[in-house]
Amino acid sequence: MFNRLKNVFNKIKDLNVSVDNYKQDSIIQSLPTVAYVNKAKKLIEEKQFEKAETLLKEALDISTQDSKVYKYLGKIYERNFDTINAIENYEKSAQLNPQDKEIWLRLGMCQLNFKQFEQAIESFEKANKVTPMNTDVYTGWGMALMRLKKYALARDKFVTASQISKYNFTAILLSAIMEIRLGDYESAETKLEFLAKVAPNESSTYEYAHLKLIKSDYKEAEKYAKKSLEINKQMLPAYFILGEIYSLQKDYEKTNKTFQSAIDNDLENETLHFEWGKACIRLFDFDCAKNHFEIALNKDSNYIDAKIGLALVKSLEGDFTLLDKLKEKNGSNVYIQEAIGLKYFSQGKYEDALEMFKKALRTDIKQTYNLLHIARCYQYLNNNEKIKEYFEKFIQENPQYKTGLLEYSKWLIKIADFADAQRKLRKVEKLDNECIEALNLLFYTSYILVKDNVCEYNVKEAISIAEKIKTLGNFEYETEKEELENILKNIQENK
């Protein structure tokens, strides 16, 4: 006990050479630790954090009952991202002086950063009692509620924070984000439009782009995503928005260029490759999607989203092993729903497959490949009206997808709708004028239609298709071609 008192005495003596110096540093002369706190505050202002920390720890040898010692130690630890020690010291300070106007806010923010959301809410509630209607308190309070997915309550806090201070642009932005989560797009747009004009930054312009994407306003979404990247090239989510827009527009070149640009800006990670894989699925380039999902898993073997993406691609190949491992816990995921539909389809359970593909489409209407799956199901269920309906929906959404058009054409030929089949095959020819399968079918439909309506022009055109095919590859209808040539000869002889 004597040695401890002696140590305290020596520390006070070393800190202040004279009584006059001590009085100058100390506000409350009966509390020696105040001098330490005042000197530590000056050191903190000068960014000499290690010296300030040492000084404050020395103050604890004098007294463990000064709330400000713990408060400023907390500030140092918070600044150094030592959140555990910051929380510990802020808690001690708050216990000693619960009326401090700042301590509950700082404690709440640290608890928020340390994912102690319930404790953070309690701290912000206490902060509000000490300093009512503080914009920072309400912002932090809303953030804790947001992390607990209590979006309506969080929005209310953010709105209050922005009402307290119209310059709290963070609160305005966060309230808009909550409104997007709650589906109140009009209110969110008003806020984001305001921020885009008065306080544009990479976050507000990104969120505006995100809202425009949700509303399928791709032109504006692209505009604001690009603005976000103009402000900060490191804004990775903005690349994802552009990648999604271009893949939905079936622009393969722009999609790949966007993701490559992110890599060129040192932003490569597992999430980037997962998003790139998703874009490839929208482009119906399943080999490319598989490649990117595998790269994502090489970077993080536990990345569940990439596993789910890979499960879908493998299911398209007829391998349902990964799906069987994931489907129980991820049944709400659109990729899992589609993959389950594919498994049912492979088992001949067409009604079950149909329902699952429709469910996937309800989950995400932009996953339009499910329209093609549905058309295939209806073919096995012999519902011609529905087959045509879903083929039409699919090609309306994906007019450049040759495989879908070709498949639709084959079914139209099967039901003897040769005129419509011919129209679809003409579209395939425009997309790929060297597709042998499509050209053979185009000749066949032309042959059938010519026989129903013989005229020289139509006969010549059908024969020209046959001649073109012969220069490219295997022609399958030589007998029919000879028949048309004889018809043409007769027409010309009877002129």
Side-chain angles (χ1 to χ4, degrees), residues 273-274 276-281 284-298 306-319 322:
H273 283 285
F274 169 67
W276 200 338
K278 285 171 63 180
C280 290
I281 283 180
F284 310 145
D285 188 344
F286 302 115
D287 289 336
C288 177
K290 182 179 181 180
N291 178 53
H292 285 291
F293 291 143
E294 288 176 342
I295 293 173
L297 286 169
N298 284 335
K307 287 183 180 179
I308 288 171
L310 189 59
L312 171 58
V313 176
K314 285 183 172 292
S315 294
L316 287 163
E317 297 172 348
D319 179 357
L322 187 55

PDB file of all heavy atoms in Angstrom, residues 273-274 276-281 284-298 306-319 322:
ATOM      1  N   HIS A 273     -16.463 -12.047 -59.492  1.00  0.00           N
ATOM      2  CA  HIS A 273     -16.626 -13.192 -60.397  1.00  0.00           C
ATOM      3  C   HIS A 273     -18.020 -13.807 -60.264  1.00  0.00           C
ATOM      4  O   HIS A 273     -18.573 -14.307 -61.258  1.00  0.00           O
ATOM      5  CB  HIS A 273     -15.535 -14.225 -60.139  1.00  0.00           C
ATOM      6  CG  HIS A 273     -14.214 -13.826 -60.715  1.00  0.00           C
ATOM      7  ND1 HIS A 273     -13.945 -13.901 -62.065  1.00  0.00           N
ATOM      8  CD2 HIS A 273     -13.101 -13.303 -60.133  1.00  0.00           C
ATOM      9  CE1 HIS A 273     -12.708 -13.467 -62.298  1.00  0.00           C
ATOM     10  NE2 HIS A 273     -12.184 -13.092 -61.143  1.00  0.00           N
ATOM     11  N   PHE A 274     -18.610 -13.760 -59.071  1.00  0.00           N
ATOM     12  CA  PHE A 274     -19.983 -14.240 -58.919  1.00  0.00           C
ATOM     13  C   PHE A 274     -20.932 -13.376 -59.738  1.00  0.00           C
ATOM     14  O   PHE A 274     -21.790 -13.894 -60.471  1.00  0.00           O
ATOM     15  CB  PHE A 274     -20.389 -14.227 -57.444  1.00  0.00           C
ATOM     16  CG  PHE A 274     -21.861 -14.450 -57.235  1.00  0.00           C
ATOM     17  CD1 PHE A 274     -22.435 -15.672 -57.536  1.00  0.00           C
ATOM     18  CD2 PHE A 274     -22.672 -13.436 -56.758  1.00  0.00           C
ATOM     19  CE1 PHE A 274     -23.801 -15.882 -57.364  1.00  0.00           C
ATOM     20  CE2 PHE A 274     -24.031 -13.630 -56.572  1.00  0.00           C
ATOM     21  CZ  PHE A 274     -24.602 -14.860 -56.879  1.00  0.00           C
ATOM     22  N   TRP A 276     -20.198 -11.545 -62.281  1.00  0.00           N
ATOM     23  CA  TRP A 276     -19.894 -11.783 -63.697  1.00  0.00           C
ATOM     24  C   TRP A 276     -20.578 -13.073 -64.157  1.00  0.00           C
ATOM     25  O   TRP A 276     -21.158 -13.142 -65.252  1.00  0.00           O
ATOM     26  CB  TRP A 276     -18.379 -11.890 -63.879  1.00  0.00           C
ATOM     27  CG  TRP A 276     -17.901 -11.654 -65.287  1.00  0.00           C
ATOM     28  CD1 TRP A 276     -18.620 -11.766 -66.439  1.00  0.00           C
ATOM     29  CD2 TRP A 276     -16.574 -11.274 -65.687  1.00  0.00           C
ATOM     30  NE1 TRP A 276     -17.835 -11.473 -67.537  1.00  0.00           N
ATOM     31  CE2 TRP A 276     -16.577 -11.174 -67.102  1.00  0.00           C
ATOM     32  CE3 TRP A 276     -15.386 -11.021 -64.994  1.00  0.00           C
ATOM     33  CZ2 TRP A 276     -15.436 -10.833 -67.829  1.00  0.00           C
ATOM     34  CZ3 TRP A 276     -14.249 -10.678 -65.715  1.00  0.00           C
ATOM     35  CH2 TRP A 276     -14.276 -10.573 -67.121  1.00  0.00           C
ATOM     36  N   GLY A 277     -20.547 -14.100 -63.308  1.00  0.00           N
ATOM     37  CA  GLY A 277     -21.232 -15.354 -63.627  1.00  0.00           C
ATOM     38  C   GLY A 277     -22.725 -15.153 -63.788  1.00  0.00           C
ATOM     39  O   GLY A 277     -23.348 -15.707 -64.697  1.00  0.00           O
ATOM     40  N   LYS A 278     -23.334 -14.347 -62.905  1.00  0.00           N
ATOM     41  CA  LYS A 278     -24.763 -14.039 -63.016  1.00  0.00           C
ATOM     42  C   LYS A 278     -25.063 -13.356 -64.345  1.00  0.00           C
ATOM     43  O   LYS A 278     -26.075 -13.642 -64.995  1.00  0.00           O
ATOM     44  CB  LYS A 278     -25.193 -13.133 -61.858  1.00  0.00           C
ATOM     45  CG  LYS A 278     -25.332 -13.832 -60.530  1.00  0.00           C
ATOM     46  CD  LYS A 278     -25.551 -12.844 -59.398  1.00  0.00           C
ATOM     47  CE  LYS A 278     -26.828 -12.063 -59.543  1.00  0.00           C
ATOM     48  NZ  LYS A 278     -27.011 -11.104 -58.424  1.00  0.00           N
ATOM     49  N   ALA A 279     -24.189 -12.436 -64.734  1.00  0.00           N
ATOM     50  CA  ALA A 279     -24.378 -11.737 -66.012  1.00  0.00           C
ATOM     51  C   ALA A 279     -24.317 -12.726 -67.175  1.00  0.00           C
ATOM     52  O   ALA A 279     -25.101 -12.634 -68.134  1.00  0.00           O
ATOM     53  CB  ALA A 279     -23.322 -10.647 -66.176  1.00  0.00           C
ATOM     54  N   CYS A 280     -23.405 -13.688 -67.088  1.00  0.00           N
ATOM     55  CA  CYS A 280     -23.291 -14.695 -68.151  1.00  0.00           C
ATOM     56  C   CYS A 280     -24.556 -15.547 -68.240  1.00  0.00           C
ATOM     57  O   CYS A 280     -24.964 -15.949 -69.336  1.00  0.00           O
ATOM     58  CB  CYS A 280     -22.074 -15.587 -67.894  1.00  0.00           C
ATOM     59  SG  CYS A 280     -20.494 -14.744 -68.127  1.00  0.00           S
ATOM     60  N   ILE A 281     -25.194 -15.818 -67.104  1.00  0.00           N
ATOM     61  CA  ILE A 281     -26.452 -16.572 -67.121  1.00  0.00           C
ATOM     62  C   ILE A 281     -27.529 -15.773 -67.849  1.00  0.00           C
ATOM     63  O   ILE A 281     -28.306 -16.322 -68.631  1.00  0.00           O
ATOM     64  CB  ILE A 281     -26.884 -16.924 -65.685  1.00  0.00           C
ATOM     65  CG1 ILE A 281     -26.044 -18.094 -65.172  1.00  0.00           C
ATOM     66  CG2 ILE A 281     -28.370 -17.272 -65.625  1.00  0.00           C
ATOM     67  CD1 ILE A 281     -26.361 -18.537 -63.769  1.00  0.00           C
ATOM     68  N   PHE A 284     -27.180 -16.215 -71.328  1.00  0.00           N
ATOM     69  CA  PHE A 284     -27.321 -17.621 -71.697  1.00  0.00           C
ATOM     70  C   PHE A 284     -25.990 -18.233 -72.128  1.00  0.00           C
ATOM     71  O   PHE A 284     -25.955 -19.184 -72.914  1.00  0.00           O
ATOM     72  CB  PHE A 284     -28.368 -17.816 -72.802  1.00  0.00           C
ATOM     73  CG  PHE A 284     -29.686 -17.130 -72.531  1.00  0.00           C
ATOM     74  CD1 PHE A 284     -30.432 -16.577 -73.556  1.00  0.00           C
ATOM     75  CD2 PHE A 284     -30.184 -17.026 -71.237  1.00  0.00           C
ATOM     76  CE1 PHE A 284     -31.651 -15.946 -73.302  1.00  0.00           C
ATOM     77  CE2 PHE A 284     -31.400 -16.402 -70.979  1.00  0.00           C
ATOM     78  CZ  PHE A 284     -32.125 -15.853 -72.011  1.00  0.00           C
ATOM     79  N   ASP A 285     -24.907 -17.688 -71.592  1.00  0.00           N
ATOM     80  CA  ASP A 285     -23.576 -18.254 -71.843  1.00  0.00           C
ATOM     81  C   ASP A 285     -23.200 -19.050 -70.598  1.00  0.00           C
ATOM     82  O   ASP A 285     -22.484 -18.575 -69.713  1.00  0.00           O
ATOM     83  CB  ASP A 285     -22.565 -17.133 -72.109  1.00  0.00           C
ATOM     84  CG  ASP A 285     -21.213 -17.676 -72.562  1.00  0.00           C
ATOM     85  OD1 ASP A 285     -20.972 -18.884 -72.385  1.00  0.00           O
ATOM     86  OD2 ASP A 285     -20.396 -16.882 -73.072  1.00  0.00           O
ATOM     87  N   PHE A 286     -23.691 -20.286 -70.536  1.00  0.00           N
ATOM     88  CA  PHE A 286     -23.592 -21.061 -69.312  1.00  0.00           C
ATOM     89  C   PHE A 286     -22.176 -21.577 -69.044  1.00  0.00           C
ATOM     90  O   PHE A 286     -21.792 -21.760 -67.890  1.00  0.00           O
ATOM     91  CB  PHE A 286     -24.610 -22.196 -69.345  1.00  0.00           C
ATOM     92  CG  PHE A 286     -26.020 -21.698 -69.522  1.00  0.00           C
ATOM     93  CD1 PHE A 286     -26.751 -22.009 -70.662  1.00  0.00           C
ATOM     94  CD2 PHE A 286     -26.617 -20.874 -68.572  1.00  0.00           C
ATOM     95  CE1 PHE A 286     -28.048 -21.533 -70.841  1.00  0.00           C
ATOM     96  CE2 PHE A 286     -27.911 -20.391 -68.733  1.00  0.00           C
ATOM     97  CZ  PHE A 286     -28.618 -20.724 -69.867  1.00  0.00           C
ATOM     98  N   ASP A 287     -21.398 -21.800 -70.090  1.00  0.00           N
ATOM     99  CA  ASP A 287     -20.001 -22.207 -69.896  1.00  0.00           C
ATOM    100  C   ASP A 287     -19.204 -21.079 -69.237  1.00  0.00           C
ATOM    101  O   ASP A 287     -18.392 -21.315 -68.340  1.00  0.00           O
ATOM    102  CB  ASP A 287     -19.357 -22.581 -71.230  1.00  0.00           C
ATOM    103  CG  ASP A 287     -19.893 -23.897 -71.777  1.00  0.00           C
ATOM    104  OD1 ASP A 287     -20.386 -24.711 -70.968  1.00  0.00           O
ATOM    105  OD2 ASP A 287     -19.814 -24.109 -73.007  1.00  0.00           O
ATOM    106  N   CYS A 288     -19.457 -19.854 -69.696  1.00  0.00           N
ATOM    107  CA  CYS A 288     -18.798 -18.686 -69.118  1.00  0.00           C
ATOM    108  C   CYS A 288     -19.214 -18.512 -67.661  1.00  0.00           C
ATOM    109  O   CYS A 288     -18.380 -18.238 -66.788  1.00  0.00           O
ATOM    110  CB  CYS A 288     -19.155 -17.431 -69.920  1.00  0.00           C
ATOM    111  SG  CYS A 288     -18.465 -15.896 -69.270  1.00  0.00           S
ATOM    112  N   ALA A 289     -20.494 -18.697 -67.376  1.00  0.00           N
ATOM    113  CA  ALA A 289     -20.995 -18.575 -66.004  1.00  0.00           C
ATOM    114  C   ALA A 289     -20.316 -19.596 -65.102  1.00  0.00           C
ATOM    115  O   ALA A 289     -19.869 -19.269 -63.989  1.00  0.00           O
ATOM    116  CB  ALA A 289     -22.505 -18.771 -65.985  1.00  0.00           C
ATOM    117  N   LYS A 290     -20.234 -20.817 -65.581  1.00  0.00           N
ATOM    118  CA  LYS A 290     -19.588 -21.882 -64.803  1.00  0.00           C
ATOM    119  C   LYS A 290     -18.146 -21.518 -64.471  1.00  0.00           C
ATOM    120  O   LYS A 290     -17.690 -21.694 -63.331  1.00  0.00           O
ATOM    121  CB  LYS A 290     -19.630 -23.189 -65.593  1.00  0.00           C
ATOM    122  CG  LYS A 290     -19.040 -24.381 -64.865  1.00  0.00           C
ATOM    123  CD  LYS A 290     -19.166 -25.635 -65.731  1.00  0.00           C
ATOM    124  CE  LYS A 290     -18.597 -26.853 -65.026  1.00  0.00           C
ATOM    125  NZ  LYS A 290     -18.717 -28.078 -65.867  1.00  0.00           N
ATOM    126  N   ASN A 291     -17.449 -20.984 -65.439  1.00  0.00           N
ATOM    127  CA  ASN A 291     -16.053 -20.592 -65.241  1.00  0.00           C
ATOM    128  C   ASN A 291     -15.919 -19.552 -64.135  1.00  0.00           C
ATOM    129  O   ASN A 291     -15.066 -19.678 -63.242  1.00  0.00           O
ATOM    130  CB  ASN A 291     -15.486 -20.041 -66.557  1.00  0.00           C
ATOM    131  CG  ASN A 291     -14.049 -19.572 -66.414  1.00  0.00           C
ATOM    132  OD1 ASN A 291     -13.187 -20.294 -65.950  1.00  0.00           O
ATOM    133  ND2 ASN A 291     -13.795 -18.336 -66.824  1.00  0.00           N
ATOM    134  N   HIS A 292     -16.772 -18.543 -64.146  1.00  0.00           N
ATOM    135  CA  HIS A 292     -16.665 -17.473 -63.146  1.00  0.00           C
ATOM    136  C   HIS A 292     -17.117 -17.934 -61.757  1.00  0.00           C
ATOM    137  O   HIS A 292     -16.541 -17.510 -60.744  1.00  0.00           O
ATOM    138  CB  HIS A 292     -17.442 -16.239 -63.602  1.00  0.00           C
ATOM    139  CG  HIS A 292     -16.746 -15.485 -64.690  1.00  0.00           C
ATOM    140  ND1 HIS A 292     -15.573 -14.786 -64.487  1.00  0.00           N
ATOM    141  CD2 HIS A 292     -17.033 -15.348 -66.018  1.00  0.00           C
ATOM    142  CE1 HIS A 292     -15.178 -14.244 -65.622  1.00  0.00           C
ATOM    143  NE2 HIS A 292     -16.040 -14.567 -66.564  1.00  0.00           N
ATOM    144  N   PHE A 293     -18.113 -18.797 -61.695  1.00  0.00           N
ATOM    145  CA  PHE A 293     -18.514 -19.328 -60.388  1.00  0.00           C
ATOM    146  C   PHE A 293     -17.379 -20.164 -59.783  1.00  0.00           C
ATOM    147  O   PHE A 293     -17.137 -20.113 -58.575  1.00  0.00           O
ATOM    148  CB  PHE A 293     -19.780 -20.172 -60.520  1.00  0.00           C
ATOM    149  CG  PHE A 293     -21.016 -19.380 -60.856  1.00  0.00           C
ATOM    150  CD1 PHE A 293     -21.985 -19.904 -61.707  1.00  0.00           C
ATOM    151  CD2 PHE A 293     -21.222 -18.118 -60.331  1.00  0.00           C
ATOM    152  CE1 PHE A 293     -23.126 -19.190 -62.024  1.00  0.00           C
ATOM    153  CE2 PHE A 293     -22.360 -17.379 -60.636  1.00  0.00           C
ATOM    154  CZ  PHE A 293     -23.312 -17.914 -61.486  1.00  0.00           C
ATOM    155  N   GLU A 294     -16.684 -20.914 -60.631  1.00  0.00           N
ATOM    156  CA  GLU A 294     -15.569 -21.728 -60.144  1.00  0.00           C
ATOM    157  C   GLU A 294     -14.407 -20.857 -59.686  1.00  0.00           C
ATOM    158  O   GLU A 294     -13.750 -21.154 -58.683  1.00  0.00           O
ATOM    159  CB  GLU A 294     -15.131 -22.705 -61.235  1.00  0.00           C
ATOM    160  CG  GLU A 294     -16.133 -23.838 -61.452  1.00  0.00           C
ATOM    161  CD  GLU A 294     -15.763 -24.761 -62.600  1.00  0.00           C
ATOM    162  OE1 GLU A 294     -14.931 -24.340 -63.455  1.00  0.00           O
ATOM    163  OE2 GLU A 294     -16.298 -25.885 -62.658  1.00  0.00           O
ATOM    164  N   ILE A 295     -14.150 -19.757 -60.396  1.00  0.00           N
ATOM    165  CA  ILE A 295     -13.102 -18.821 -59.962  1.00  0.00           C
ATOM    166  C   ILE A 295     -13.462 -18.228 -58.604  1.00  0.00           C
ATOM    167  O   ILE A 295     -12.607 -18.124 -57.714  1.00  0.00           O
ATOM    168  CB  ILE A 295     -12.908 -17.695 -61.002  1.00  0.00           C
ATOM    169  CG1 ILE A 295     -12.331 -18.250 -62.307  1.00  0.00           C
ATOM    170  CG2 ILE A 295     -11.982 -16.604 -60.442  1.00  0.00           C
ATOM    171  CD1 ILE A 295     -12.271 -17.243 -63.437  1.00  0.00           C
ATOM    172  N   ALA A 296     -14.746 -17.856 -58.441  1.00  0.00           N
ATOM    173  CA  ALA A 296     -15.195 -17.300 -57.155  1.00  0.00           C
ATOM    174  C   ALA A 296     -14.971 -18.297 -56.029  1.00  0.00           C
ATOM    175  O   ALA A 296     -14.523 -17.927 -54.928  1.00  0.00           O
ATOM    176  CB  ALA A 296     -16.668 -16.905 -57.245  1.00  0.00           C
ATOM    177  N   LEU A 297     -15.261 -19.558 -56.282  1.00  0.00           N
ATOM    178  CA  LEU A 297     -15.094 -20.584 -55.248  1.00  0.00           C
ATOM    179  C   LEU A 297     -13.626 -20.897 -54.992  1.00  0.00           C
ATOM    180  O   LEU A 297     -13.263 -21.278 -53.876  1.00  0.00           O
ATOM    181  CB  LEU A 297     -15.841 -21.854 -55.657  1.00  0.00           C
ATOM    182  CG  LEU A 297     -17.369 -21.761 -55.528  1.00  0.00           C
ATOM    183  CD1 LEU A 297     -18.046 -22.943 -56.190  1.00  0.00           C
ATOM    184  CD2 LEU A 297     -17.766 -21.657 -54.066  1.00  0.00           C
ATOM    185  N   ASN A 298     -12.783 -20.724 -55.989  1.00  0.00           N
ATOM    186  CA  ASN A 298     -11.339 -20.877 -55.761  1.00  0.00           C
ATOM    187  C   ASN A 298     -10.819 -19.790 -54.828  1.00  0.00           C
ATOM    188  O   ASN A 298      -9.889 -20.010 -54.044  1.00  0.00           O
ATOM    189  CB  ASN A 298     -10.577 -20.824 -57.090  1.00  0.00           C
ATOM    190  CG  ASN A 298     -10.723 -22.112 -57.880  1.00  0.00           C
ATOM    191  OD1 ASN A 298     -10.967 -23.174 -57.320  1.00  0.00           O
ATOM    192  ND2 ASN A 298     -10.582 -22.020 -59.193  1.00  0.00           N
ATOM    193  N   ALA A 306     -21.877 -18.398 -54.869  1.00  0.00           N
ATOM    194  CA  ALA A 306     -21.200 -19.007 -56.017  1.00  0.00           C
ATOM    195  C   ALA A 306     -21.539 -20.490 -56.124  1.00  0.00           C
ATOM    196  O   ALA A 306     -21.686 -21.033 -57.224  1.00  0.00           O
ATOM    197  CB  ALA A 306     -19.693 -18.807 -55.901  1.00  0.00           C
ATOM    198  N   LYS A 307     -21.676 -21.169 -54.983  1.00  0.00           N
ATOM    199  CA  LYS A 307     -22.075 -22.581 -54.996  1.00  0.00           C
ATOM    200  C   LYS A 307     -23.460 -22.742 -55.605  1.00  0.00           C
ATOM    201  O   LYS A 307     -23.713 -23.666 -56.386  1.00  0.00           O
ATOM    202  CB  LYS A 307     -22.074 -23.140 -53.573  1.00  0.00           C
ATOM    203  CG  LYS A 307     -20.694 -23.379 -52.985  1.00  0.00           C
ATOM    204  CD  LYS A 307     -20.799 -24.004 -51.598  1.00  0.00           C
ATOM    205  CE  LYS A 307     -19.425 -24.248 -50.997  1.00  0.00           C
ATOM    206  NZ  LYS A 307     -19.533 -24.840 -49.633  1.00  0.00           N
ATOM    207  N   ILE A 308     -24.355 -21.826 -55.248  1.00  0.00           N
ATOM    208  CA  ILE A 308     -25.722 -21.877 -55.778  1.00  0.00           C
ATOM    209  C   ILE A 308     -25.716 -21.650 -57.292  1.00  0.00           C
ATOM    210  O   ILE A 308     -26.408 -22.340 -58.046  1.00  0.00           O
ATOM    211  CB  ILE A 308     -26.605 -20.836 -55.061  1.00  0.00           C
ATOM    212  CG1 ILE A 308     -26.877 -21.286 -53.620  1.00  0.00           C
ATOM    213  CG2 ILE A 308     -27.914 -20.618 -55.800  1.00  0.00           C
ATOM    214  CD1 ILE A 308     -27.551 -20.240 -52.754  1.00  0.00           C
ATOM    215  N   GLY A 309     -24.931 -20.672 -57.737  1.00  0.00           N
ATOM    216  CA  GLY A 309     -24.820 -20.417 -59.174  1.00  0.00           C
ATOM    217  C   GLY A 309     -24.284 -21.631 -59.911  1.00  0.00           C
ATOM    218  O   GLY A 309     -24.783 -22.012 -60.984  1.00  0.00           O
ATOM    219  N   LEU A 310     -23.267 -22.263 -59.323  1.00  0.00           N
ATOM    220  CA  LEU A 310     -22.673 -23.449 -59.948  1.00  0.00           C
ATOM    221  C   LEU A 310     -23.668 -24.608 -59.962  1.00  0.00           C
ATOM    222  O   LEU A 310     -23.707 -25.393 -60.916  1.00  0.00           O
ATOM    223  CB  LEU A 310     -21.400 -23.849 -59.197  1.00  0.00           C
ATOM    224  CG  LEU A 310     -20.535 -24.930 -59.836  1.00  0.00           C
ATOM    225  CD1 LEU A 310     -20.074 -24.508 -61.228  1.00  0.00           C
ATOM    226  CD2 LEU A 310     -19.326 -25.233 -58.949  1.00  0.00           C
ATOM    227  N   ALA A 311     -24.498 -24.696 -58.922  1.00  0.00           N
ATOM    228  CA  ALA A 311     -25.520 -25.752 -58.871  1.00  0.00           C
ATOM    229  C   ALA A 311     -26.488 -25.627 -60.038  1.00  0.00           C
ATOM    230  O   ALA A 311     -26.898 -26.642 -60.631  1.00  0.00           O
ATOM    231  CB  ALA A 311     -26.276 -25.684 -57.544  1.00  0.00           C
ATOM    232  N   LEU A 312     -26.859 -24.392 -60.380  1.00  0.00           N
ATOM    233  CA  LEU A 312     -27.759 -24.192 -61.519  1.00  0.00           C
ATOM    234  C   LEU A 312     -27.091 -24.616 -62.819  1.00  0.00           C
ATOM    235  O   LEU A 312     -27.687 -25.344 -63.630  1.00  0.00           O
ATOM    236  CB  LEU A 312     -28.191 -22.733 -61.608  1.00  0.00           C
ATOM    237  CG  LEU A 312     -28.964 -22.346 -62.884  1.00  0.00           C
ATOM    238  CD1 LEU A 312     -30.224 -23.195 -63.035  1.00  0.00           C
ATOM    239  CD2 LEU A 312     -29.308 -20.868 -62.885  1.00  0.00           C
ATOM    240  N   VAL A 313     -25.859 -24.160 -63.029  1.00  0.00           N
ATOM    241  CA  VAL A 313     -25.172 -24.476 -64.284  1.00  0.00           C
ATOM    242  C   VAL A 313     -24.995 -25.986 -64.433  1.00  0.00           C
ATOM    243  O   VAL A 313     -25.206 -26.546 -65.518  1.00  0.00           O
ATOM    244  CB  VAL A 313     -23.809 -23.756 -64.341  1.00  0.00           C
ATOM    245  CG1 VAL A 313     -23.052 -24.163 -65.593  1.00  0.00           C
ATOM    246  CG2 VAL A 313     -23.994 -22.244 -64.326  1.00  0.00           C
ATOM    247  N   LYS A 314     -24.631 -26.647 -63.347  1.00  0.00           N
ATOM    248  CA  LYS A 314     -24.467 -28.099 -63.400  1.00  0.00           C
ATOM    249  C   LYS A 314     -25.807 -28.801 -63.646  1.00  0.00           C
ATOM    250  O   LYS A 314     -25.873 -29.826 -64.327  1.00  0.00           O
ATOM    251  CB  LYS A 314     -23.819 -28.600 -62.112  1.00  0.00           C
ATOM    252  CG  LYS A 314     -22.318 -28.312 -62.027  1.00  0.00           C
ATOM    253  CD  LYS A 314     -21.712 -28.894 -60.778  1.00  0.00           C
ATOM    254  CE  LYS A 314     -20.197 -28.776 -60.783  1.00  0.00           C
ATOM    255  NZ  LYS A 314     -19.551 -29.631 -61.804  1.00  0.00           N
ATOM    256  N   SER A 315     -26.871 -28.234 -63.098  1.00  0.00           N
ATOM    257  CA  SER A 315     -28.197 -28.809 -63.332  1.00  0.00           C
ATOM    258  C   SER A 315     -28.585 -28.703 -64.802  1.00  0.00           C
ATOM    259  O   SER A 315     -29.239 -29.595 -65.353  1.00  0.00           O
ATOM    260  CB  SER A 315     -29.240 -28.110 -62.456  1.00  0.00           C
ATOM    261  OG  SER A 315     -29.005 -28.369 -61.078  1.00  0.00           O
ATOM    262  N   LEU A 316     -28.195 -27.613 -65.440  1.00  0.00           N
ATOM    263  CA  LEU A 316     -28.435 -27.472 -66.881  1.00  0.00           C
ATOM    264  C   LEU A 316     -27.698 -28.545 -67.672  1.00  0.00           C
ATOM    265  O   LEU A 316     -28.108 -28.917 -68.767  1.00  0.00           O
ATOM    266  CB  LEU A 316     -28.006 -26.070 -67.344  1.00  0.00           C
ATOM    267  CG  LEU A 316     -28.930 -24.914 -66.924  1.00  0.00           C
ATOM    268  CD1 LEU A 316     -28.216 -23.573 -67.057  1.00  0.00           C
ATOM    269  CD2 LEU A 316     -30.209 -24.906 -67.761  1.00  0.00           C
ATOM    270  N   GLU A 317     -26.599 -29.045 -67.087  1.00  0.00           N
ATOM    271  CA  GLU A 317     -25.825 -30.119 -67.723  1.00  0.00           C
ATOM    272  C   GLU A 317     -26.341 -31.504 -67.333  1.00  0.00           C
ATOM    273  O   GLU A 317     -25.831 -32.518 -67.812  1.00  0.00           O
ATOM    274  CB  GLU A 317     -24.346 -29.997 -67.316  1.00  0.00           C
ATOM    275  CG  GLU A 317     -23.684 -28.707 -67.771  1.00  0.00           C
ATOM    276  CD  GLU A 317     -22.280 -28.531 -67.201  1.00  0.00           C
ATOM    277  OE1 GLU A 317     -21.916 -29.304 -66.281  1.00  0.00           O
ATOM    278  OE2 GLU A 317     -21.545 -27.651 -67.674  1.00  0.00           O
ATOM    279  N   GLY A 318     -27.329 -31.546 -66.417  1.00  0.00           N
ATOM    280  CA  GLY A 318     -27.884 -32.819 -65.977  1.00  0.00           C
ATOM    281  C   GLY A 318     -27.237 -33.386 -64.737  1.00  0.00           C
ATOM    282  O   GLY A 318     -27.504 -34.527 -64.341  1.00  0.00           O
ATOM    283  N   ASP A 319     -26.385 -32.586 -64.070  1.00  0.00           N
ATOM    284  CA  ASP A 319     -25.710 -33.024 -62.841  1.00  0.00           C
ATOM    285  C   ASP A 319     -26.363 -32.303 -61.656  1.00  0.00           C
ATOM    286  O   ASP A 319     -26.197 -31.096 -61.486  1.00  0.00           O
ATOM    287  CB  ASP A 319     -24.217 -32.680 -62.913  1.00  0.00           C
ATOM    288  CG  ASP A 319     -23.454 -33.093 -61.659  1.00  0.00           C
ATOM    289  OD1 ASP A 319     -24.085 -33.589 -60.704  1.00  0.00           O
ATOM    290  OD2 ASP A 319     -22.222 -32.914 -61.629  1.00  0.00           O
ATOM    291  N   LEU A 322     -24.733 -31.158 -56.663  1.00  0.00           N
ATOM    292  CA  LEU A 322     -24.576 -29.957 -55.847  1.00  0.00           C
ATOM    293  C   LEU A 322     -25.933 -29.396 -55.438  1.00  0.00           C
ATOM    294  O   LEU A 322     -26.110 -28.909 -54.314  1.00  0.00           O
ATOM    295  CB  LEU A 322     -23.755 -28.902 -56.599  1.00  0.00           C
ATOM    296  CG  LEU A 322     -23.341 -27.644 -55.833  1.00  0.00           C
ATOM    297  CD1 LEU A 322     -22.594 -27.998 -54.549  1.00  0.00           C
ATOM    298  CD2 LEU A 322     -22.482 -26.740 -56.720  1.00  0.00           C
TER     299      LEU A 322
END
